[in-house]
Structure formats: C-alpha cells, structure tokens
C-alpha cells in the first residue's frame, strides 16, 4: 500500500507521515509539498500513482493553479479513478467545496492520531474490498 501525504507545509507532511508509519510500518509513505510537479511526473509515467492521497485543500503558493487541492484531486482521479483522497484542512468552510472531488474522507487540522488511524483503516478496507471484487 502506498500513501502520499501532500501539504504545502512540509513539517505537517513529516508529522503525518511519522504518525502513519507508527501503525503501518510496512506501507510506503511519501510526502510532497509541490502538487503540480508531482502531478506532471504521474501524468508522464515518471511516478507511480499512490493508493491513498492525504491532501491539503488550500496551498499557499505564488502560482494560483497549484493552490487548490480540490482541483488537483479531480485531475489525479481522472488519471486513476480508483484513487482514494482524504482531504486535510484547517479551514472547515472548505467542506462544502469538496464534493466534486469525491473524497473518501475529510480531516480537520490539527489531525488527531486516533481520527487519522480510524480514517485510514476505513479507506484501506475499502481498497481491499474493491480489489477482492475485481478478482471475483
């Protein structure tokens, strides 16, 4: 299982990554703070698509096209429709804007360990169920 943590604050990425690795030591956990370059790598086949993306909704960047995690998640899901997105934000008012992206879950910063684990368990179970259904 590959989980990607995306936030413009690399310290938050590292904290979430470390928390996830505590419970899921055998999973590949990556972190990035540049959505657009990662998207281009995936689009051109230079990077493997993760199973789960934990993505901040709002990004503080100079380039407005990179600042919207919702739009980026829609682009990623066009490349890989089975991708599971868990949105992450410190601004609860974005909750109404996420439905176009079909997220699997929504977490509010600061992320509490138990909530993160419960959310990941749910999404991982969903992925396993989908894989079983495809093989059946």
């Amino acid at each position: 299982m590959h989980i990607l943590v995306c936030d413009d604050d690399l310290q938050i990425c590292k904290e979430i990554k470390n928390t996830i690795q505590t419970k899921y030591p055998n999973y590949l956990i990556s972190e990035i703070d540049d959505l657009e370059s990662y998207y281009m790598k995936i689009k051109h086949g230079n990077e493997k698509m993760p199973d789960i993306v934990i993505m901040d909704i709002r990004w503080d960047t100079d380039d407005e096209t990179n600042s919207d995690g919702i739009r980026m998640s829609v682009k990623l899901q066009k490349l890989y429709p089975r991708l599971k997105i868990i949105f992450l934000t410190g601004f609860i008012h974005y909750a109404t804007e996420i439905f176009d992206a079909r997220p699997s879950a929504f977490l509010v910063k600061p992320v509490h360990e138990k909530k993160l684990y419960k959310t990941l368990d749910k999404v991982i179970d969903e992925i396993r169920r989908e894989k079983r259904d495809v093989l059946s």
Side-chain angles (χ1 to χ4, degrees), residues 15-45:
E15 289 170 9
I16 293 172
K17 176 183 175 179
N18 291 339
T19 301
I20 295 169
Q21 283 180 324
T22 299
K23 183 171 181 181
Y24 305 101
N26 296 324
Y27 289 179
L28 173 61
I29 316 295
S30 307
E31 81 263 357
I32 62 161
D33 63 352
D34 182 350
L35 277 173
E36 189 63 30
S37 66
Y38 189 81
Y39 170 76
M40 295 308 288
K41 288 178 185 177
I42 288 175
K43 185 175 179 181
H44 296 295

Side-chain angles (χ1 to χ4, degrees), residues 4 6 35 49-57 69-70 72-77 80-88 98 101-107 119-120 122-123 126-127:
L4 176 67
C6 311
L35 277 173
M49 183 69 79
D51 299 291
I52 301 170
V53 175
I54 300 173
M55 182 182 304
D56 192 9
I57 290 176
I70 296 169
M72 182 57 69
S73 68
V74 170
K75 287 169 68 172
L76 288 170
Q77 286 176 323
Y80 186 63
R82 293 182 182 259
L83 177 66
K84 303 301 180 197
I85 303 286
I86 299 172
F87 279 122
L88 177 66
I98 66 173
R102 302 180 336 259
S104 296
F106 183 85
L107 295 171
T119 301
L120 281 172
K122 179 189 118 202
V123 174
E126 187 178 327
I127 291 169

Side-chain angles (χ1 to χ4, degrees), residues 94-126:
Y94 290 122
T96 59
E97 298 177 26
I98 66 173
F99 294 105
D100 288 339
R102 302 180 336 259
S104 296
F106 183 85
L107 295 171
V108 178
K109 293 178 189 176
V111 178
H112 299 283
E113 185 177 287
K114 287 182 183 179
K115 180 67 174 167
L116 176 62
Y117 290 156
K118 182 178 178 181
T119 301
L120 281 172
D121 287 342
K122 179 189 118 202
V123 174
I124 290 166
D125 285 346
E126 187 178 327

